Amino acid sequence: MRLQPIVTPRFALAAVTLVLALAQPAPAQSAYETDLEFALRELPKKCATLIASKDIDWKKVEKEFAKAAKDVESDQEHWVLLTRLLARLNDGHAEVHTTDKTANLTWPQPEGGAPVGCGMFWCRSGKKILVKTVYGDAVKSGIEAGWEVVKVDDVPVQKWLAARVAKLRDTQSFSTDHQAFFTACHWGLAEPAGSTVGYEFKDEKGSKRKKNITFSRGNPVPWGPAVFPAELKGSDDVRFTLLPSGFGYVHVRRCKGDLPRQIDEALTVVGSAKGLILDFRANGGGGFDHDDFMGRFVPKGTTLSFGKSYASTGASPYGGPIVVIVDAGCRSAGETGAGIFKEDGRAFMIGESLTAGMSAQKTEIELPSGLFKLYVSTGSNKGRFNGGKGIEGIGVVPHEIVEYDAKDLAAGVDTLIRRAEALLAKFPQNDVPYRAE
């Protein structure tokens, strides 16, 4: 006799359910999931050179974001997720561009509203964090430049800054660590208007000072020097003056297309100086003719040829010694503009740090949904810099790192301008091939 298998009703129902489930098509991907899969596949192709040079673990990035799009429910959330993805490229230029489909989309505001400045900028000096600049709410609270920052809301300042850098890096892309730190000490100090933050400082005598700041409407954008020289002329882009020391001073805040013409205007005032300071701190970049710009600093009838060749240009080109000042707020075209002076042998460069390290060729990647485009870097600019490595992910390296001095800041003196004047008085000719007129 042949035995028949016993099939219980429960087993039969389960079997039928399994068969039906296997017969059903997989749920269709959302447009957000398709975009993310595409981005995770295309970015390591387009950005391969820089991903390798920056030692980015793309497998780790894929693991972090592979399933994230499943939880996205709106175009705005999609925008945020893609922005977080690009932040993993460590590319200061990387950003998500909207399209016609998302032109009216707005970035989500943090709880409490848009952040505003606290009236302070900070800097690192040795192992200390100093108040570099005070204005607005910080001045009203009695805070002074040169004080050491000890705690923020009872958290040791180094720990607070590390947490702030990590928070910024989740949604912002920085080409270098020093660029991220600089940002934390400027834009990163902002909080929503109405917020109150408690700070602990040490003053110039080492006494503890506790101060609270209630944020109102301060601008957190860095402006360059800790202390500007008096009686500056010019525009917001290029300002200039003759210093009491007899040296000329030019702050190049932005590199607009007409930068060479603006330099001509500056040289009509400072061109007779026995030495010149070109200050590129907090230069936000732009676009300009590098050769035409550099030609303003090559004597008439001559050519500068220690690196790339530059012919003299402009009505009254300057031929004297030059010291260039930079910081990690000097970005993109600002880095190339400042960098050619050092790299091509025209000037001595000092800086609070290296420049931001965000200077590269860019491309735009269209996503399948048509909702956004990814703007990313593909290769470093100025390949002859840094021994053939270029600028992206490194920055321009000054001849000399000069940190701010607390006593200078307290006295209203910019340490780097003071150092530049000292260098012009006794120029380090062994480090600069150019021989000044």
Side-chain angles (χ1 to χ4, degrees), residues 114-121 135 182-191 215 217-223 253:
V116 297
C118 61
M120 288 188 291
F121 297 140
Y135 60 98
F182 181 89
T183 301
C185 289
H186 294 79
W187 291 279
L189 301 182
E191 298 287 352
F215 291 54
R217 59 178 198 176
N219 188 343
V221 179
W223 53 58
R253 179 69 178 83

Side-chain angles (χ1 to χ4, degrees), residues 157-169:
V157 67
Q158 299 286 4
K159 184 176 180 180
W160 186 90
L161 277 170
R164 185 54 55 107
V165 167
K167 181 180 179 181
L168 289 169
R169 283 197 122 141

Side-chain angles (χ1 to χ4, degrees), residues 5-6 53 74 102 157 172 229 235 263 291 302 305 317 333 352 378 433:
I6 299 173
S53 68
S74 68
T102 49
V157 67
Q172 294 184 45
S235 67
I263 290 298
D291 290 16
T302 65
S305 299
E352 176 191 0
T378 58

Side-chain angles (χ1 to χ4, degrees), residues 379-422:
S380 185
N381 276 338
K382 301 296 178 188
R384 68 185 187 279
F385 284 36
N386 294 316
K389 295 178 181 178
I391 294 176
E392 177 64 37
I394 301 172
V396 179
V397 185
H399 288 102
E400 181 182 321
I401 297 295
V402 180
E403 294 182 329
Y404 288 98
D405 179 80
K407 290 182 179 179
D408 283 345
L409 295 172
V413 174
D414 188 291
T415 305
L416 282 88
I417 293 177
R418 178 174 61 79
R419 177 58 180 156
E421 289 181 292

Side-chain angles (χ1 to χ4, degrees), residues 36-49:
L36 190 66
E37 276 192 7
F38 179 83
L40 287 171
R41 187 171 61 251
E42 288 299 308
L43 286 171
K45 296 178 184 176
K46 300 288 186 182
C47 312
T49 301

